[in-house]
Amino acid sequence: MQWLRSPRLWVAALALVAMVLLPLWVSEYVLGVLTIAYYFGVFAMSWDLLFGYAGEVNFGPTFLIGIGAYVSGMLNIYTSVPMVLCIAAGAVAAVIAGVLLALPALRLRGAYFGLVTLVSVLILQTVIVLFASYTGGEIGFSVPSILSIDSGVNYYYALAFMVVSGMVLLAVARSPMGLILQATGQDPLGAQALGFNVTKHKLAAFCLSALFSGLAGALTIFYLGSVSVNTVVDLAVTVQIIIAAVLGGRRTIVGGALGAIFLIVAAEYLRPIGELSNLVVAAFALIVLLFIPDGFLGLFPRREARS
Amino acid sequence: MTLLLQVLVDGFVIGALYGLGAAGFTIIFGVSGVLNLAHGGVMVVAAMVAWMVAGGILHASLLTGVVCGVAAGMVTAYATYYLVVRPAQRSRRIPDEEREIFILTATLLLGIVIQEGIAYLFTSNPVTVPPLVSGVVHVFGVRTPTNELLIGVISWVVLGLLWLFVNRTRQGKAVLAASINPHGLAMLGFELPQIHRLVWGLYGLLGGVAGVLLATFEGASSGLVGGLTASAFIIVVLGGLGSVPGSLVAAYVIGFMETVTAYLISPAIRTLPGMVLLLLILYVRPQGLLGRR
Amino acid sequence: MNTSARKTIWTLGSFLAAMVLVAGVSLVAPAAHAKTKAPIRIGVIAPFSAIDGASIINGAEMAVDEINKAGGIEGRPVKLFKYDNHASATDAVRAFQRAVKQDHVVAIAGTFISEVALAIEPWSARLHTPFIVTGAASTKITGEVHNHYARDKYVFHNWLNSDFQGRVVCDFAKDELVGKLGYKTAVVMSEDAAWTQPLDVSYLKCLPKAGLKVLDHIRFSPDTNDFTPLFNKVESEHADVIIAGWAHVGVKPTVQWHQQQVPALLAGINAQAGASSFWKSTNGDTEGVITGTAGVSGAAVTPKSEPFTKAYTKRYHTTPAYNAYSTYDSIYMLKAAIEREHSTNADKLVTGLEKTDYLGTVGRVKFYGRNDLYTHGMEYGKDLVQTVVFQWQHGKQVPVWPHRVSLAKLEVPSFVKQHVAMNR
């Protein structure tokens, strides 16, 4: 059981215990901040599966998140479907949308794939604004159901979701499929030559990413009690997700969660400088990207040798 | 009939302006292999500086404002290259196969930094640069602000100068060759760093002029940075990455599509047909209309 | 020390650092304790970087400073907490939650974007904290209060909603555009946003009654950059005046209207034109533009209007936007409600606010009641709140309506004048 001796595992366990016990010490407001951070963590971890492993830069994670959010939100408003089913429906819708987008898009390389994902977000935004009478347009709408008013309960929902998602995504990343993904990401021709179906694996990764993104998107709006283009579709959100994943360390999955927590907590610290906080965060991320491209977690390399 | 003429006039100017911005963008890709996602930043910085000097704060002459604006655009382009792109291209910490993605993300972040910087200094409210000339002119019965037509003409003059430069001067031909095969050029003894210096300066010039002209016509604000980058990206991919004639054609295609949509259907969805067209092209002919790679 | 031990120390060390970071966040904010007896805490939320947003913050600040100088509320000083919502619904909701749970405010004022106000509204209900919207115009804000009174009664809308703003424009049109200029036709041109939906309904209903035939009704996307096709349409219909519904846009269509020399007067609502910096942003192209706002320098709407405008301009080096007035009034109205009920309890505050009958800087403010259509909305009327319509003339905002505050006649830009003369 050599893995039991891994310091990383013990650190992770300690961190988990700390996070679970946190509500005993900190104020409700801090819990609220962390709740958002945890959902963001899932956005970032899902993104890392695609970027760090499959090597596809997705400029439109908010396409999947937005579909998950809007479908579940609209179901909640216009029908009497129970909230849990709305959330599930949102996740399913995100996966379907992901497949429809990915199938043709994965035939394209690098920058072109990125462009398609970018355009998909722009189109989604235009469509939402166009059908404003149903979707609330730019204004968005409030949803009648929410997960809970209690900050503590919301915190635990988010924490549990993040931990479970993280474990699933990590398991996939470490599995044989994950290794194949890495191979196809770094050397698609080589991987193909070895007989792996590159497209099939990338598609699977995309679906998984879509599932968690959509689920997280739906949960986020039932936490906030409202959905709008600003919150779940806007390009600004995409940029934050990318920053979070990069800061934490790409190709680590867990890095995404770390980066998201760091980002959102840092934004709180930067509150006093108001407007400049976005600039500072982006500038900081840029510096990290250039000089510490492996991110925070990259400073602690795994013991396994890289082939 | 007047409607058709209005569409033609309006579309002509919009296409020219889009073309100017896109031309620089595609040259950079051709020579440096970089898709500069901070492109909008070059244009908006130029516009803001022009406004600051000529209109809002220093009240200098319009010409001074324009010159300062274009210069600011070039400074931004150089800053992008020397502070972000070149370090990313040379960094040994970044694995080669991921370099392209890193540069893409880095320029994206730079774009955000520029956008937020502008918003902090100038607020997010739009400003306009005073028009180059005022008054209106009647073109085939369509009343158009003279400034608007002048913008179209200036854009084409600049593009013409660009063509002359690339095809008739030694350095220009080197740039053209570099855009086709940078390594081959190095083997022939050309100094690549010098080429890059030239190209990025050229890019700043083109973007700066486009930004200032846009500001006299439609105004500029920090919020435009993302949208301008997205439009340029779409046009350049449509036309074929690396091909200047391609991006000009695409600029007009998109420009006219948007104008026709705005006039005949509704301004609300003017960008939609262009985006759908882009998706179709990407699936059917990814190298774009006139692309090489 | 071997590598793996060093690594362990590294990882444990960084983990501890992370814990300190998280704990630190809770220490950065004031420690939570039960409602303090001493200061009365009030929160104000707005986007700092927008001119209209800064107005809200400044208006609140001025009111609080004045109240504290005069002895506070029932002897207690007022402490103002400011929050930047970055014009985003999420940030606004988080700011609201922070204000209530962390900073323990008794009431919150602010925001001028309907989207944001509507996102905050359910949280005002869930957290039982009064929320006074000091801008925005969507009728949904009060609609929610009317339909779900017991739940949403904590929300008050201290600005005229779109329905009334439309009526203001029509009253102005009747007196000035039809009565004095003899205009006959108009085109309604609004940005496609939630606040303009009831506005346009109002326009279409009352403009004909005011004497203007509505030739066309144009709605455009707020991120339109090129207004040429729309202005060409207006021109081809030979309308005398454009009745606008603009708030998210302002600079671009105004500049293009001027440069294209569109032969129709520009009136209605052009919210951004209410800011004094608009002249500079448009390089003077706003000459002749007419719009409504809460207060304009020189317009003595109430005895409090001019002193406020002067004091604000002196302190902040720019004229107050409309919601500086409404936010300033809101703080005073809160004071009156607290004094009336001798309590800062949420439900008592609601009762207290409902009894508001306050002569502020925008007029005499009263809120509609439970059984009125616009529950907790600002009452509109000649002796209540009517706002002011002004025109940009030679670089200055000159009030032109209502009659008792007007300082000059309407001027018509030359390129418009010719056209109308031709059409007679």
Side-chain angles (χ1 to χ4, degrees):
Chain A
M1 297 281 249
Q2 219 205 343
W3 55 273
L4 271 178
R5 287 209 237 131
S6 150
R8 283 173 148 232
L9 189 70
W10 285 109
V11 170
L14 274 170
L16 196 59
V17 168
M19 290 195 283
V20 168
L21 294 178
L22 211 59
L24 298 175
W25 300 309
V26 299
S27 72
E28 281 190 71
Y29 176 65
V30 172
L31 290 182
V33 171
L34 288 173
T35 307
I36 294 268
Y38 293 159
Y39 285 123
F40 229 84
V42 177
F43 294 158
M45 291 195 290
S46 318
W47 192 83
D48 192 26
L49 187 69
L50 270 183
F51 178 64
Y53 290 85
E56 298 288 351
V57 56
N58 177 11
F59 281 139
T62 47
F63 175 68
L64 303 166
I65 297 171
I67 292 211
Y70 268 88
V71 167
S72 58
M74 280 163 65
L75 268 180
N76 190 237
I77 282 205
Y78 292 118
T79 71
S80 46
V81 174
M83 182 176 71
V84 176
L85 286 182
C86 290
I87 296 176
V92 168
V95 172
I96 295 177
V99 170
L100 287 176
L101 174 67
L103 267 178
L106 282 173
R107 296 186 314 168
L108 305 170
R109 283 237 52 224
Y112 292 107
F113 176 80
L115 182 57
V116 170
T117 55
L118 179 72
V119 172
S120 70
V121 174
L122 295 177
I123 292 185
L124 180 66
Q125 205 162 354
T126 312
V127 167
I128 289 178
V129 170
L130 207 55
F131 292 103
S133 35
Y134 300 107
T135 64
E138 280 187 355
I139 294 243
F141 53 85
S142 309
V143 287
S145 329
I146 51 166
L147 292 174
S148 167
I149 302 183
D150 187 283
S151 317
V153 171
N154 276 321
Y155 175 81
Y156 283 120
Y157 278 152
L159 179 61
F161 179 60
M162 180 180 79
V163 169
V164 169
S165 313
M167 292 195 325
V168 171
L169 288 168
L170 201 57
V172 169
R174 297 274 181 93
S175 73
M177 168 168 150
L179 289 174
I180 297 172
L181 266 183
Q182 269 193 70
T184 59
Q186 296 185 324
D187 187 2
L189 283 176
Q192 233 165 0
L194 284 171
F196 293 115
N197 187 337
V198 170
T199 318
K200 192 177 82 172
H201 282 100
K202 289 196 180 181
L203 189 62
F206 208 91
C207 285
L208 205 56
S209 182
L211 177 68
F212 283 106
S213 302
L215 207 49
L219 284 170
T220 307
I221 65 152
F222 284 110
Y223 164 64
L224 287 173
S226 64
V227 56
S228 67
V229 170
N230 267 358
T231 336
V232 287
V233 180
D234 207 78
L235 276 179
V237 179
T238 295
V239 173
Q240 282 185 299
I241 294 173
I242 296 179
I243 294 180
V246 163
L247 278 182
R250 76 199 191 295
R251 208 174 295 133
T252 59
I253 300 287
V254 177
L258 270 181
I261 296 175
F262 173 77
L263 244 191
I264 299 224
V265 169
E268 287 301 309
Y269 272 108
L270 292 173
R271 215 170 259 282
I273 61 171
E275 265 319 290
L276 281 182
S277 62
N278 287 338
L279 192 154
V280 169
V281 168
F284 180 69
L286 185 56
I287 294 173
V288 167
L289 190 71
L290 290 177
F291 297 109
I292 321 175
D294 285 334
F296 180 68
L297 273 189
L299 294 172
F300 312 101
R302 285 203 279 275
R303 238 193 245 134
E304 308 118 40
R306 301 228 295 171
S307 54
Chain B
M1 187 53 185
T2 6
L3 187 64
L4 177 65
L5 288 170
Q6 281 160 2
V7 169
L8 283 176
V9 172
D10 212 20
F12 166 72
V13 176
I14 303 244
L17 218 45
Y18 278 172
L20 202 55
F25 192 78
T26 209
I27 289 178
I28 288 295
F29 178 79
V31 176
S32 282
V34 170
L35 282 166
N36 179 21
L37 291 184
H39 174 75
V42 171
M43 292 174 70
V44 176
V45 166
M48 290 317 235
V49 167
W51 173 76
M52 193 174 68
V53 169
I57 302 180
L58 294 178
H59 296 295
S61 80
L62 185 58
L63 187 60
T64 323
V66 170
V67 169
C68 290
V70 176
M74 291 173 73
V75 167
T76 313
Y78 277 126
T80 308
Y81 179 59
Y82 285 111
L83 293 179
V84 176
V85 175
R86 213 167 77 133
Q89 283 175 328
R90 291 179 173 208
S91 168
R92 263 175 288 193
R93 296 189 197 90
I94 301 173
D96 276 326
E97 60 270 358
E98 298 177 291
R99 202 172 294 279
E100 194 181 306
I101 293 180
F102 265 81
I103 297 179
L104 214 56
T105 314
T107 56
L108 180 69
L109 290 173
L110 181 68
I112 303 286
V113 170
I114 295 177
Q115 178 171 348
E116 294 294 333
I118 295 176
Y120 180 69
L121 293 170
F122 298 102
T123 81
S124 45
N125 281 28
V127 296
T128 49
V129 174
L132 302 168
V133 294
S134 45
V136 293
V137 111
H138 288 82
V139 177
F140 304 119
V142 176
R143 186 188 324 105
T144 323
T146 325
N147 186 54
E148 193 179 324
L149 280 182
L150 192 59
I151 290 176
V153 169
I154 293 180
S155 303
W156 274 103
V157 167
V158 173
L159 286 169
L161 290 173
L162 178 69
W163 185 86
L164 277 176
F165 174 71
V166 166
N167 285 303
R168 293 288 150 88
T169 69
R170 186 174 177 274
Q171 282 148 317
K173 289 192 205 179
V175 167
L176 184 60
S179 77
I180 298 174
N181 191 342
H183 299 298
L185 206 65
M187 286 197 290
L188 285 174
F190 280 85
E191 288 290 329
L192 272 184
Q194 203 187 25
I195 302 276
H196 283 128
R197 227 183 348 238
L198 187 59
V199 166
W200 281 88
L202 192 61
Y203 171 53
L205 182 74
L206 290 170
V209 171
V212 172
L213 288 181
L214 184 68
T216 65
F217 172 39
E218 281 184 6
S221 68
S222 65
L224 271 186
V225 172
L228 284 173
T229 307
S231 309
F233 201 0
I234 291 176
I235 288 173
V236 153
V237 169
L238 186 61
L241 280 170
S243 159
V244 173
S247 54
L248 288 179
V249 170
Y252 270 93
V253 168
I254 296 277
F256 273 110
M257 278 184 77
E258 285 195 3
T259 313
V260 167
T261 312
Y263 272 84
L264 293 180
I265 310 180
S266 149
I269 57 170
R270 74 182 283 156
T271 47
L272 203 58
M275 292 194 282
V276 172
L277 176 64
L278 174 73
L279 286 181
L280 285 173
I281 291 272
L282 278 178
Y283 294 147
V284 168
R285 193 190 154 82
Q287 69 268 43
L289 294 170
L290 296 178
R292 263 178 256 114
R293 294 191 189 188
Chain C
M1 205 189 290
N2 64 11
T3 342
S4 90
R6 199 186 300 149
K7 272 193 206 164
T8 313
I9 291 177
W10 254 109
T11 44
L12 279 174
S14 46
F15 162 70
L16 278 168
M19 284 313 303
V20 168
L21 200 74
V22 171
V25 173
S26 63
L27 292 172
V28 163
H33 48 332
K35 268 211 182 72
T36 47
K37 272 290 164 193
I40 295 186
R41 299 156 165 243
I42 298 182
V44 62
I45 299 181
F48 288 8
S49 73
I51 293 181
D52 285 358
S55 274
I56 291 179
I57 305 289
N58 296 341
E61 198 174 50
M62 268 186 70
V64 168
D65 287 349
E66 282 176 14
I67 292 174
N68 281 337
K69 274 208 192 90
I73 303 178
E74 294 193 317
R76 294 164 64 177
V78 179
K79 194 156 184 241
L80 185 67
F81 290 85
K82 309 175 193 167
Y83 305 92
D84 187 349
N85 67 24
H86 296 111
S88 140
T90 328
D91 285 13
V93 166
R94 275 167 62 192
F96 193 91
Q97 291 173 332
R98 181 171 187 224
V100 175
K101 295 188 182 179
Q102 183 96 329
D103 299 324
H104 302 289
V105 300
V106 305
I108 298 180
T111 205
F112 65 94
I113 301 178
S114 297
E115 155 184 44
V116 173
L118 289 167
I120 293 180
E121 202 163 338
W123 285 98
S124 162
R126 289 178 191 129
L127 298 176
H128 298 295
T129 303
F131 173 48
I132 303 182
V133 183
T134 57
S138 169
T139 47
K140 265 204 204 165
I141 297 172
T142 49
E144 294 293 319
V145 182
H146 181 83
N147 294 335
H148 304 279
Y149 180 79
R151 194 185 74 189
D152 290 326
K153 63 182 178 180
Y154 301 95
V155 175
F156 289 82
H157 190 184
N158 192 25
W159 185 242
L160 290 182
N161 64 36
S162 307
D163 185 21
F164 294 134
Q165 288 194 33
R167 286 192 229 177
V168 166
V169 171
C170 288
D171 287 346
F172 160 78
K174 181 159 176 232
D175 288 346
E176 296 292 319
L177 296 176
V178 179
K180 301 252 176 71
L181 292 180
Y183 281 179
K184 293 192 169 50
T185 58
V187 165
V188 170
M189 187 173 162
S190 291
E191 66 194 25
D192 193 7
W195 78 279
T196 56
Q197 274 159 10
L199 181 75
D200 287 3
V201 167
S202 187
Y203 278 166
L204 295 174
K205 219 175 22 177
C206 66
L207 281 173
K209 291 196 200 141
L212 282 178
K213 179 158 176 248
V214 178
L215 298 174
D216 199 353
H217 175 202
I218 302 176
R219 284 177 76 80
F220 59 85
S221 154
D223 51 36
T224 304
N225 285 319
D226 183 12
F227 291 86
T228 327
L230 302 174
F231 286 137
N232 279 328
K233 198 156 184 264
V234 169
E235 195 180 329
S236 67
E237 289 161 344
H238 302 295
D240 294 332
V241 58
I242 298 175
I243 301 289
W246 301 349
H248 294 162
V249 300
V251 171
K252 290 188 190 177
T254 305
V255 165
Q256 290 175 32
W257 166 78
H258 180 97
Q259 288 194 12
Q260 213 176 317
Q261 297 190 350
V262 181
L265 193 59
L266 187 53
I269 298 174
N270 187 346
Q272 291 184 17
S276 57
S277 54
F278 197 68
W279 183 264
K280 254 202 280 181
S281 308
T282 56
N283 296 304
D285 284 352
T286 184
E287 171 77 16
V289 167
I290 300 165
T291 183
T293 183
V296 171
S297 176
V301 178
T302 74
K304 294 188 185 164
S305 312
E306 268 299 86
F308 171 76
T309 312
K310 287 207 170 63
Y312 185 102
T313 313
K314 191 165 170 215
R315 181 167 171 171
Y316 299 105
H317 308 295
T318 176
T319 56
Y322 77 94
N323 43 29
Y325 296 88
S326 59
T327 311
Y328 178 84
D329 285 348
S330 298
I331 305 292
Y332 273 101
M333 283 152 52
L334 266 173
K335 170 171 181 281
I338 295 175
E339 286 170 347
R340 229 194 310 275
E341 301 293 313
H342 302 295
S343 165
T344 55
N345 166 274
D347 290 298
K348 294 242 178 80
L349 268 183
V350 170
T351 319
L353 283 169
E354 285 178 338
K355 295 185 191 150
T356 298
D357 186 349
Y358 174 74
L359 186 64
T361 55
V362 306
R364 184 166 161 219
V365 183
K366 284 164 69 169
F367 290 120
Y368 284 111
R370 187 168 178 176
N371 297 319
D372 298 317
L373 179 59
Y374 298 122
T375 311
H376 288 185
M378 182 190 247
E379 283 195 30
Y380 166 74
K382 206 155 172 235
D383 301 313
L384 297 165
V385 176
Q386 231 181 347
T387 68
V388 171
V389 175
F390 74 85
Q391 182 180 40
W392 276 100
Q393 294 178 356
H394 315 296
K396 288 196 166 36
Q397 293 171 327
V398 178
V400 292
W401 186 89
H403 181 68
R404 67 181 176 84
V405 300
S406 89
L407 286 182
K409 282 206 321 228
L410 268 189
E411 286 182 5
V412 180
S414 56
F415 55 84
V416 175
K417 211 178 262 180
Q418 301 168 322
H419 153 78
V420 175
M422 273 196 320
N423 265 9
R424 290 285 165 262

